[in-house]
Coordinates of all heavy atoms in Angstrom, one line a residue:
K16 N -37.2 35.3 67.7 CA -37.5 34.5 68.9 C -36.7 35.0 70.1 O -37.2 35.2 71.2 CB -37.2 33.0 68.6 CG -37.7 32.1 69.7 CD -37.5 30.7 69.2 CE -38.0 29.7 70.3 NZ -37.8 28.3 69.9
D17 N -35.4 35.3 69.8 CA -34.6 35.9 70.9 C -35.1 37.2 71.3 O -35.1 37.5 72.5 CB -33.1 36.0 70.3 CG -32.5 34.7 70.0 OD1 -32.9 33.7 70.6 OD2 -31.5 34.7 69.2
L18 N -35.5 38.1 70.4 CA -36.0 39.4 70.8 C -37.3 39.2 71.6 O -37.6 39.9 72.6 CB -36.3 40.2 69.5 CG -35.1 40.7 68.8 CD1 -35.5 41.4 67.5 CD2 -34.2 41.6 69.7
S19 N -38.1 38.2 71.3 CA -39.3 37.9 72.1 C -39.0 37.5 73.5 O -39.6 38.0 74.4 CB -40.2 36.9 71.4 OG -40.6 37.3 70.1
Y20 N -38.0 36.7 73.6 CA -37.5 36.3 74.9 C -37.0 37.5 75.8 O -37.3 37.6 77.0 CB -36.5 35.2 74.9 CG -37.0 33.8 74.5 CD1 -36.3 33.0 73.6 CD2 -38.2 33.3 75.0 CE1 -36.8 31.8 73.2 CE2 -38.6 32.1 74.7 CZ -37.9 31.3 73.8 OH -38.4 30.1 73.5
I21 N -36.3 38.3 75.1 CA -35.8 39.5 75.8 C -36.9 40.4 76.3 O -36.9 40.9 77.4 CB -34.8 40.3 74.9 CG1 -33.5 39.5 74.7 CG2 -34.5 41.7 75.5 CD1 -32.6 40.0 73.6
E22 N -37.9 40.6 75.4 CA -39.1 41.4 75.8 C -39.8 40.8 76.9 O -40.3 41.5 77.8 CB -40.0 41.7 74.6 CG -39.4 42.6 73.5 CD -40.3 42.7 72.3 OE1 -41.3 42.0 72.2 OE2 -39.9 43.6 71.4
L23 N -40.0 39.5 76.8 CA -40.7 38.7 77.9 C -40.0 38.8 79.2 O -40.6 39.0 80.3 CB -40.9 37.3 77.5 CG -41.7 36.4 78.4 CD1 -43.2 37.0 78.4 CD2 -41.7 35.0 77.9
K24 N -38.7 38.8 79.2 CA -37.9 38.9 80.4 C -38.0 40.3 81.0 O -38.2 40.5 82.2 CB -36.4 38.7 80.1 CG -35.5 38.6 81.2 CD -34.1 38.3 80.8 CE -33.1 38.3 82.0 NZ -31.8 38.1 81.6
E25 N -38.0 41.3 80.1 CA -38.2 42.7 80.6 C -39.6 42.9 81.2 O -39.8 43.5 82.2 CB -38.0 43.7 79.5 CG -36.6 43.8 79.1 CD -36.4 44.7 77.8 OE1 -37.4 45.2 77.3 OE2 -35.3 44.9 77.4
L26 N -40.6 42.3 80.6 CA -42.0 42.4 81.1 C -42.1 41.7 82.4 O -42.8 42.2 83.3 CB -42.9 41.8 80.0 CG -44.4 41.9 80.3 CD1 -44.8 43.4 80.3 CD2 -45.2 41.1 79.3
G27 N -41.4 40.5 82.6 CA -41.5 39.8 83.9 C -40.8 40.7 85.0 O -41.3 40.7 86.1
G28 N -39.7 41.3 84.6 CA -39.1 42.2 85.6 C -40.0 43.4 86.0 O -40.0 43.8 87.2
F29 N -40.6 43.9 85.0 CA -41.6 45.1 85.3 C -42.7 44.6 86.2 O -43.1 45.3 87.1 CB -42.1 45.6 84.0 CG -43.1 46.7 84.1 CD1 -42.7 48.0 84.6 CD2 -44.5 46.5 83.9 CE1 -43.7 49.0 84.8 CE2 -45.4 47.5 84.1 CZ -45.0 48.7 84.5
R30 N -43.2 43.4 85.9 CA -44.3 42.9 86.7 C -43.8 42.6 88.2 O -44.5 43.0 89.1 CB -44.8 41.5 86.2 CG -46.0 41.0 87.0 CD -46.4 39.6 86.5 NE -47.5 39.1 87.3 CZ -47.3 38.6 88.5 NH1 -46.1 38.5 89.1 NH2 -48.4 38.1 89.2
R31 N -42.6 42.1 88.3 CA -42.1 41.9 89.7 C -42.0 43.2 90.5 O -42.3 43.3 91.6 CB -40.7 41.2 89.6 CG -40.8 39.7 89.6 CD -39.4 39.1 89.9 NE -38.4 39.5 88.9 CZ -38.2 39.0 87.7 NH1 -39.0 38.0 87.3 NH2 -37.3 39.4 86.9
K32 N -41.4 44.2 89.8 CA -41.3 45.5 90.4 C -42.7 46.1 90.8 O -42.8 46.7 91.9 CB -40.6 46.5 89.5 CG -39.1 46.3 89.5 CD -38.4 47.6 88.9 CE -37.8 47.2 87.6 NZ -37.2 48.3 86.9
T33 N -43.6 45.9 89.9 CA -45.0 46.5 90.2 C -45.6 45.8 91.3 O -46.2 46.4 92.2 CB -45.8 46.4 88.9 OG1 -45.2 47.0 87.8 CG2 -47.2 47.0 89.1
V34 N -45.5 44.4 91.4 CA -46.1 43.7 92.5 C -45.4 44.0 93.8 O -46.1 44.2 94.8 CB -46.0 42.2 92.2 CG1 -46.3 41.3 93.5 CG2 -46.9 41.8 91.1
K35 N -44.1 44.2 93.8 CA -43.4 44.6 95.0 C -43.8 46.0 95.5 O -44.0 46.2 96.7 CB -41.9 44.6 94.7 CG -41.0 44.7 95.9 CD -39.5 44.5 95.5 CE -38.6 44.5 96.7 NZ -37.2 44.3 96.3
Q36 N -44.0 46.9 94.5 CA -44.4 48.3 94.9 C -45.9 48.2 95.4 O -46.2 48.9 96.4 CB -44.4 49.2 93.7 CG -44.7 50.6 93.9 CD -44.7 51.4 92.7 OE1 -44.7 50.9 91.6 NE2 -44.6 52.7 92.9
C37 N -46.7 47.4 94.8 CA -48.1 47.3 95.3 C -48.1 46.7 96.7 O -48.9 47.1 97.6 CB -48.9 46.4 94.3 SG -50.6 46.3 94.7
T38 N -47.3 45.7 97.0 CA -47.2 45.1 98.3 C -46.8 46.1 99.3 O -47.3 46.2 100.4 CB -46.3 43.9 98.3 OG1 -46.7 43.0 97.3 CG2 -46.2 43.2 99.6
R39 N -45.8 46.9 99.0 CA -45.3 47.9 99.9 C -46.4 49.0 100.2 O -46.6 49.4 101.4 CB -44.1 48.7 99.3 CG -42.8 47.9 99.4 CD -41.7 48.8 98.9 NE -40.5 48.0 98.8 CZ -39.5 48.2 97.9 NH1 -39.7 49.2 97.0 NH2 -38.5 47.5 97.8
L40 N -47.1 49.4 99.2 CA -48.2 50.3 99.4 C -49.3 49.7 100.3 O -49.9 50.4 101.1 CB -48.8 50.8 98.1 CG -47.8 51.7 97.3 CD1 -48.4 52.0 95.9 CD2 -47.6 53.0 98.0
K41 N -49.6 48.5 100.1 CA -50.7 47.8 100.9 C -50.2 47.7 102.4 O -51.0 48.0 103.3 CB -51.0 46.4 100.4 CG -51.9 46.3 99.2 CD -52.2 44.9 98.9 CE -53.3 44.8 97.8 NZ -53.6 43.4 97.5
I42 N -49.0 47.4 102.6 CA -48.4 47.4 104.0 C -48.5 48.7 104.6 O -48.9 48.9 105.8 CB -47.0 46.8 104.0 CG1 -47.0 45.3 103.6 CG2 -46.3 47.0 105.3 CD1 -45.7 44.7 103.3
R43 N -48.1 49.8 103.9 CA -48.2 51.1 104.4 C -49.6 51.5 104.7 O -49.9 52.1 105.8 CB -47.5 52.1 103.5 CG -46.0 52.0 103.5 CD -45.3 52.9 102.5 NE -45.7 54.3 102.8 CZ -45.5 55.3 101.9 NH1 -45.0 55.0 100.7 NH2 -45.9 56.5 102.2
L44 N -50.5 51.2 103.8 CA -51.9 51.6 104.0 C -52.5 50.8 105.2 O -53.2 51.4 106.0 CB -52.7 51.3 102.7 CG -54.2 51.5 102.8 CD1 -54.4 53.0 102.9 CD2 -54.9 51.0 101.6
T45 N -52.2 49.6 105.3 CA -52.7 48.8 106.4 C -52.2 49.3 107.7 O -52.9 49.4 108.7 CB -52.3 47.3 106.2 OG1 -52.8 46.9 105.0 CG2 -52.9 46.5 107.3
S46 N -50.9 49.6 107.8 CA -50.4 50.1 109.1 C -51.0 51.4 109.4 O -51.3 51.7 110.6 CB -48.8 50.2 109.0 OG -48.4 51.2 108.1
Y47 N -51.2 52.3 108.4 CA -51.8 53.6 108.7 C -53.3 53.4 109.1 O -53.7 53.9 110.1 CB -51.7 54.5 107.5 CG -52.5 55.8 107.7 CD1 -52.0 56.8 108.5 CD2 -53.7 56.0 107.1 CE1 -52.6 58.0 108.7 CE2 -54.4 57.2 107.3 CZ -53.9 58.2 108.1 OH -54.5 59.3 108.3
L48 N -53.9 52.6 108.4 CA -55.4 52.4 108.6 C -55.6 51.7 110.0 O -56.5 52.1 110.7 CB -56.0 51.5 107.5 CG -57.4 51.2 107.5 CD1 -58.2 52.5 107.3 CD2 -57.8 50.2 106.5
L49 N -54.9 50.6 110.3 CA -55.1 49.9 111.5 C -54.6 50.6 112.7 O -55.1 50.5 113.8 CB -54.5 48.5 111.4 CG -55.2 47.6 110.3 CD1 -54.5 46.3 110.3 CD2 -56.7 47.4 110.6
N50 N -53.4 51.2 112.6 CA -52.8 51.8 113.8 C -53.3 53.2 114.1 O -53.3 53.6 115.3 CB -51.3 51.8 113.6 CG -50.7 50.5 113.5 OD1 -51.3 49.5 114.0 ND2 -49.6 50.3 112.9
Q51 N -53.8 53.9 113.1 CA -54.1 55.3 113.4 C -55.6 55.7 113.3 O -56.1 56.5 114.0 CB -53.3 56.3 112.5 CG -51.8 56.2 112.9 CD -51.0 57.1 112.0 OE1 -51.5 57.8 111.2 NE2 -49.7 57.0 112.2
V52 N -56.2 55.0 112.3 CA -57.6 55.4 112.0 C -58.6 54.5 112.7 O -59.5 54.9 113.3 CB -57.8 55.5 110.5 CG1 -59.3 55.9 110.2 CG2 -56.9 56.6 109.9
F53 N -58.4 53.2 112.4 CA -59.5 52.3 112.7 C -58.9 51.0 113.4 O -58.6 50.0 112.7 CB -60.2 51.9 111.4 CG -61.6 51.4 111.6 CD1 -62.4 51.2 110.5 CD2 -62.1 51.1 112.8 CE1 -63.7 50.7 110.6 CE2 -63.4 50.6 113.0 CZ -64.2 50.4 111.8
L54 N -58.7 51.0 114.7 CA -58.0 49.9 115.3 C -58.9 48.6 115.4 O -58.3 47.5 115.4 CB -57.7 50.3 116.8 CG -56.7 51.5 116.9 CD1 -56.6 51.9 118.4 CD2 -55.3 51.0 116.4
E55 N -60.2 48.8 115.4 CA -61.1 47.6 115.5 C -61.3 46.9 114.3 O -61.9 45.8 114.3 CB -62.4 48.1 116.1 CG -62.4 48.8 117.4 CD -62.1 50.3 117.3 OE1 -62.2 50.8 116.2 OE2 -61.8 50.9 118.3
L56 N -60.9 47.4 113.1 CA -61.2 46.8 111.8 C -60.6 45.4 111.7 O -61.3 44.5 111.2 CB -60.7 47.7 110.7 CG -61.1 47.3 109.3 CD1 -62.6 47.4 109.1 CD2 -60.4 48.1 108.3
Q57 N -59.4 45.2 112.2 CA -58.8 43.9 112.0 C -59.5 42.8 112.9 O -59.5 41.6 112.5 CB -57.3 44.0 112.4 CG -56.5 42.8 112.0 CD -55.0 43.1 112.2 OE1 -54.6 44.0 112.9 NE2 -54.2 42.3 111.5
C58 N -60.1 43.2 113.9 CA -60.9 42.2 114.8 C -62.1 41.7 114.0 O -62.5 40.5 114.2 CB -61.3 42.8 116.1 SG -59.9 43.4 117.1

């Protein structure tokens, strides 16, 4: 049971890192897309 909790904790940390990385990539993509390629899209 303790080992399961440890694995679950590691999995939660991995998920947090992955979500954070995905958010950063979305922000970078949005800034590139909206500011340089397609300004009218957000309207």
Side-chain angles (χ1 to χ4, degrees):
K16 190 175 181 181
D17 294 334
L18 291 176
S19 297
Y20 284 139
I21 291 170
E22 288 176 356
L23 188 61
K24 186 177 176 182
E25 289 175 0
L26 187 62
F29 177 71
R30 183 187 179 281
R31 271 192 304 277
K32 279 196 250 178
T33 306
V34 167
K35 192 173 185 179
Q36 183 181 18
C37 184
T38 304
R39 283 186 188 146
L40 289 174
K41 278 186 176 182
I42 291 170
R43 286 178 58 196
L44 178 66
T45 303
S46 66
Y47 175 73
L48 183 68
L49 295 178
N50 296 335
Q51 296 181 3
V52 177
F53 202 172
L54 296 171
E55 301 87 9
L56 187 66
Q57 195 169 14
C58 299

